[in-house]
Amino acid sequence: PLIADGLMPNIQRLISMGSSGELRSTVPPISGTSWLSFATGKNPKKTGAYDFLKFDRKTKKLSGVSSNDFKGHSFWDIIEKDNKKIGLLHMPMLFPPYEIDGFMISGIGSSENWDISFPKELKQELTKYCQEKLITDIHYNQPHYDEDKFIGELNSVFDQKVKIAKYLIKEKQWDLFIWVISETDWIQHFMWKHIDESHPDYDKEKSLIYQKKFDEFWGRVDKAI
């Protein structure tokens, strides 16, 4: 619908020049499961991850999906073996970052207080460049929130990440660059009641205002791409 309304001309151009389609999710359709399948091309039965946690059959314990589950199994690891340089920006659950021919910055599942980059000094390099946090902490479990504050913070953080992406693309060497834009996920979690007219909390007068802000944000994403 956003393409039809002319709000995403760059996405429209990419679709017309290349190939596209609707993605099937994993079974179960959970982000923690899906990201690992995305990285490895394997289904949950083969990755062993059916959620953000995985079950160890030997110890009978649960542990979080981490970079240990990606390392050596992801498509970028395979590409690296062909002497290609890899750039990863904000890949979920890719923590701790591990040594690779290129650079890596962890995404959701990490903390700003940790070493979230490889090489280690890259975090400080980007912090100096942007003079802001690299990753924001937005909590989904808040039952009541200020939509205007949320939209303001979302746009601010996204703008900062665009700066980071541009810097890495222009200043670093890479053959494969992956940038995960998580803000598109956050805005749909928080704002869906204003987008879906069948939602029980849909308020036509109020929701029309936030629909416009929703569309504006997706326009910013399209411009960044």
Side-chain angles (χ1 to χ4, degrees), residues 33-153:
T33 300
S34 302
W35 282 118
L36 191 51
S37 290
F38 160 78
T40 63
K42 298 178 180 180
N43 62 40
K45 182 179 179 180
K46 292 181 179 179
T47 65
Y50 292 87
D51 205 329
F52 287 95
L53 301 173
K54 59 180 181 177
F55 180 70
D56 190 312
R57 294 178 183 274
K58 293 181 180 179
T59 63
K60 308 298 182 184
K61 293 182 179 180
L62 290 170
S63 60
V65 175
S66 71
S67 60
N68 294 323
D69 300 289
F70 289 88
K71 189 176 181 180
H73 302 285
S74 65
F75 64 84
W76 56 80
D77 292 317
I78 295 171
I79 292 172
E80 181 196 23
K81 292 179 180 179
D82 197 31
N83 298 316
K84 302 296 184 182
K85 291 187 177 294
I86 308 299
L88 291 168
L89 176 58
H90 294 143
M91 181 69 189
M93 301 177 297
L94 193 62
F95 182 84
Y98 58 84
E99 184 174 350
I100 198 168
D101 188 6
F103 57 88
M104 180 183 298
I105 299 174
S106 304
I108 293 172
S110 57
S111 168
E112 278 300 305
N113 299 320
W114 301 341
D115 293 327
I116 61 169
S117 68
F118 175 84
K120 188 174 181 179
E121 59 272 14
L122 180 58
K123 175 185 174 181
Q124 188 61 35
E125 181 181 338
L126 292 174
T127 303
K128 288 173 62 177
Y129 177 77
C130 293
Q131 298 180 347
E132 291 184 41
K133 294 194 305 179
L134 298 181
I135 302 171
T136 187
D137 292 318
I138 296 180
H139 302 288
Y140 298 137
N141 60 354
Q142 296 178 9
H144 304 289
Y145 60 91
D146 185 320
E147 284 107 329
D148 293 316
K149 183 179 179 181
F150 169 75
I151 288 289
E153 181 179 6

Side-chain angles (χ1 to χ4, degrees), residues 13-33:
R13 177 174 55 85
L14 290 172
I15 290 174
S16 64
M17 292 174 62
S19 60
S20 66
E22 292 186 11
L23 289 176
R24 293 182 186 173
S25 187
T26 50
V27 179
I30 297 172
S31 298
T33 300

Side-chain angles (χ1 to χ4, degrees), residues 176-195:
L176 171 69
F177 183 83
I178 302 171
W179 173 25
V180 176
I181 301 174
S182 294
E183 288 76 13
T184 52
D185 177 71
W186 301 343
I187 195 170
Q188 305 228 144
H189 274 291
F190 272 89
M191 305 297 284
W192 193 251
K193 69 179 183 180
H194 297 304
I195 307 307

